[in-house]
């Protein structure tokens, strides 16, 4: 079952698109995109009154991407549609009014790659190669990836299950993996919006000297990589939002004072 079919998501479903063709057209128009994890979405929800200000940080692209694993995690945390509606409805409503909200799945990524790569086996090979590089410090995932044969789109659930692993930091793994695949297709910069140290920032450290990863992406070195794969913490988002607005020192002080209570 697709995550958007979950009854828990009934109230927010109209605000999130899962149409590959729409996303393909938007990516070709704007190139850059933002990828979100649950931690950032939760902080946005807690700051719903300041959301118009926070959205000033996102001036590089109108495309907001959420991996399906991230939405699945939110459903596990909030198990009824009534509570989910109370918690997330207003956030997704306001986000979709200003930005394009898209959900990403393995199938969506596959079909996006299919637009630029004629050989289906080449698509699967690239997905496996990038997964091996992205998760190379996780021995269990690498062991299972090396044994996994990918020969058709019907094998994607196997790849997805391997990346899910034990569930810890699963959403963040898909954020990184999907972003790398989109950068491989010359979309970007990819803005990774997360405060997750272990799942996102530690993984980023493994990319620094990974020449094999750069080769797959068609990037010369880490300098080129960091221009296409950019990390945005919540504090950085807050800084950018203030930079992009005309606020008095008193207004800025009031905002920062409120942040201490997050």
């Amino acid at each position: 079952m697709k995550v958007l079919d979950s009854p828990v998501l009934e109230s927010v479903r109209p605000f999130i698109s899962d149409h590959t063709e729409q996303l393909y057209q938007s990516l070709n128009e704007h190139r850059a995109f933002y990828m979100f994890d649950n931690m950032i979405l939760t902080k946005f929800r807690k700051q719903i009154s300041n959301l118009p200000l926070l959205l000033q940080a996102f001036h590089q692209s109108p495309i907001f991407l959420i991996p399906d694993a991230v939405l699945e995690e939110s459903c596990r945390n909030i198990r009824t549609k009534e509570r989910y509606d109370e918690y997330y409805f207003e956030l997704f409503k306001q986000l979709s009014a200003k930005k394009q909200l898209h959900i990403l799945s393995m199938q969506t990524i596959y079909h996006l790659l299919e637009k630029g790569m004629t050989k289906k086996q080449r698509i699967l090979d690239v997905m496996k190669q990038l997964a091996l590089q992205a998760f190379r410090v996780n021995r269990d995932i690498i062991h299972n990836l090396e044994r996994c044969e990918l020969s058709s789109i019907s094998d994607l659930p196997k790849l997805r299950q391997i990346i899910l692993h034990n569930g810890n930091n699963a959403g963040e793994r898909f954020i990184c993996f999907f972003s790398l695949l989109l950068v491989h297709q010359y979309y970007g910069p990819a803005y990774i919006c997360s405060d997750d140290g272990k799942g996102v920032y530690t993984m980023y450290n493994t990319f620094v000297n990974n020449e094999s990863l750069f080769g797959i992406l068609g990037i010369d070195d880490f300098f080129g990589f960091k221009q296409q794969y950019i990390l945005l913490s919540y504090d950085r988002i807050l800084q950018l939002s203030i930079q992009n607005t005309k606020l008095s020192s008193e207004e800025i002080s009031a905002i920062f004072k409120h942040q201490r209570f997050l």
Side-chain angles (χ1 to χ4, degrees):
M1 181 181 74
K2 294 189 300 183
V3 64
L4 277 184
D5 293 334
S6 169
V8 176
L9 296 173
E10 179 181 341
S11 65
V12 303
R13 193 177 298 134
F15 306 130
I16 306 173
S17 171
D18 63 348
H19 298 295
T20 303
E21 191 61 35
Q22 289 179 3
L23 178 55
Y24 175 69
Q25 292 174 4
S26 292
L27 285 170
N28 280 307
E29 179 180 357
H30 301 286
R31 312 307 294 181
F33 60 89
Y34 296 92
M35 192 83 72
F36 290 87
D37 72 357
N38 265 318
M39 295 176 72
I40 293 295
L41 291 174
T42 297
K43 289 189 175 183
F44 280 4
R45 182 262 176 188
K46 291 180 178 179
Q47 285 291 299
I48 195 70
S49 62
N50 287 323
L51 190 61
L53 168 64
L54 291 170
L55 290 179
Q56 296 299 314
F58 304 100
H59 62 282
Q60 300 291 345
S61 173
I63 303 173
F64 281 16
L65 303 179
I66 306 173
D68 57 354
V70 169
L71 275 186
E72 287 174 356
E73 181 182 332
S74 71
C75 290
R76 288 194 298 271
N77 294 337
I78 305 175
R79 296 178 178 273
T80 68
K81 63 181 180 181
E82 291 78 15
R83 287 189 61 219
Y84 204 95
D85 179 31
E86 179 182 357
Y87 199 88
Y88 278 120
F89 178 84
E90 190 60 31
L91 172 64
F92 283 113
K93 179 182 177 181
Q94 290 194 32
L95 287 177
S96 66
K98 299 293 185 180
K99 300 292 183 177
Q100 303 173 21
L101 291 184
H102 296 270
I103 188 170
L104 274 184
S105 67
M106 279 289 195
Q107 285 74 19
T108 303
I109 285 288
Y110 178 92
H111 290 306
L112 287 172
L113 268 62
E114 196 175 28
K115 301 280 189 181
M117 304 169 68
T118 56
K119 294 184 178 180
K120 290 181 170 51
Q121 188 57 50
R122 174 62 179 156
I123 299 171
L124 297 166
D125 290 344
V126 166
M127 294 180 80
K128 183 173 180 178
Q129 289 168 13
L130 279 176
L132 285 167
Q133 297 304 320
F135 312 120
R136 63 178 184 165
V137 297
N138 190 313
R139 294 182 180 180
D140 291 336
I141 291 180
I142 293 301
H143 176 70
N144 290 327
L145 280 172
E146 289 173 341
R147 299 169 57 191
C148 179
E149 295 292 333
L150 301 177
S151 59
S152 73
I153 191 173
S154 62
D155 291 324
L156 291 182
K158 293 191 300 184
L159 178 59
R160 186 179 192 275
Q161 193 59 41
I162 290 171
I163 296 173
L164 280 172
H165 188 38
N166 57 14
N168 296 331
N169 302 118
E172 285 72 23
R173 282 196 291 271
F174 281 102
I175 285 171
C176 296
F177 181 52
F178 288 165
S179 296
L180 291 174
L181 285 166
L182 291 175
V183 169
H184 177 273
Q185 291 303 99
Y186 305 107
Y187 299 121
Y191 294 91
I192 317 301
C193 304
S194 174
D195 273 347
D196 189 277
K198 184 177 181 181
V200 171
Y201 288 82
T202 299
M203 191 179 300
Y204 184 79
N205 288 335
T206 71
F207 299 159
V208 173
N209 296 311
N210 191 339
E211 294 183 359
S212 296
L213 173 63
F214 304 153
I216 296 171
L217 296 175
I219 293 173
D220 292 334
D221 51 28
F222 180 68
F223 179 77
F225 177 76
K226 71 177 185 178
Q227 292 180 317
Q228 294 299 314
Y229 190 99
I230 300 169
L231 302 182
L232 290 181
S233 67
Y234 180 78
D235 286 345
R236 181 57 180 155
I237 292 169
L238 182 61
Q239 290 172 349
L240 289 171
S241 68
I242 292 173
Q243 288 175 14
N244 295 334
T245 57
K246 296 180 179 179
L247 296 174
S248 67
S249 59
E250 290 79 10
E251 290 171 320
I252 293 174
S253 177
I255 291 171
F256 274 105
K257 181 180 180 180
H258 188 57
Q259 299 306 305
R260 292 201 295 268
F261 297 99
L262 284 176

